[in-house]
Amino acid sequence: MDQSTTPSEPQPVPLPLPLPLPLPVPAPAPLPVPHETVGRRTRLRPGTEEEYSHVHRRIPDPVAAALRSAGVVQWRIWRDGLSLFHLIETTHGIAEMGRRMSLLGAVDPDWDELIATLVDPAEETQADLPLVWGMDQQRQFS
């Protein structure tokens, strides 16, 4: 056999230099924030339906800011006659939200006084609503 027919050894492929160091490391995904969603029912005093709806077109900015700082992610209210249905989503639960709000003290005493004239304060007119069924994009739950 002559040299022209001798199989040659594979040659290493040169790597382009220099390599960027350190190599970029992807940032870790943010940890999920725990959320709790609750439903509540409250009742209005008779004759206050329109005023309640009117004053809730936009609540005072300091009250909204205090609710957010206490952990409110979302709060929605629906009204059926005198009945109010609240859907409240918080970062760490409704009890923690209440605790944080109590630490803030009276944010807007005039707002608190106004709402007290519109909402029926009787204990039996307020209730937590147990979840019966739910669905999101991935699953059903109860």
Side-chain angles (χ1 to χ4, degrees):
M1 249 191 192
D2 66 17
Q3 275 187 333
S4 62
T5 61
T6 308
S8 63
E9 302 233 353
Q11 297 297 315
V13 178
L15 295 175
L17 294 176
L19 290 175
L21 296 176
L23 296 174
V25 177
L31 294 174
V33 175
H35 281 218
E36 177 182 279
T37 303
V38 297
R40 284 197 46 79
R41 179 187 45 87
T42 56
R43 292 199 40 97
L44 295 172
R45 296 175 192 254
T48 64
E49 302 92 336
E50 292 309 313
E51 185 174 2
Y52 185 88
S53 293
H54 176 75
V55 301
H56 277 83
R57 286 190 184 124
R58 181 173 176 94
I59 69 171
D61 287 336
V63 174
L67 289 168
R68 285 186 191 101
S69 74
V72 172
V73 175
Q74 187 174 164
W75 191 322
R76 295 179 182 197
I77 304 171
W78 291 267
R79 185 176 65 78
D80 179 27
L82 295 175
S83 295
L84 301 172
F85 301 92
H86 306 254
L87 179 72
I88 308 163
E89 183 179 349
T90 63
T91 54
H92 292 87
I94 213 77
E96 178 63 13
M97 180 208 74
R99 187 189 74 76
R100 292 177 182 190
M101 285 299 292
S102 68
L103 292 174
L104 293 174
V107 174
D108 187 336
D110 292 337
W111 172 258
D112 294 341
E113 187 177 318
L114 172 62
I115 297 305
T117 67
L118 303 174
V119 177
D120 187 337
E123 191 174 314
E124 65 272 8
T125 67
Q126 303 177 34
D128 290 331
L129 301 173
L131 178 66
V132 176
W133 175 85
M135 181 181 90
D136 62 22
Q137 293 179 346
Q138 287 83 35
R139 62 191 171 93
Q140 294 188 43
F141 50 89
S142 57

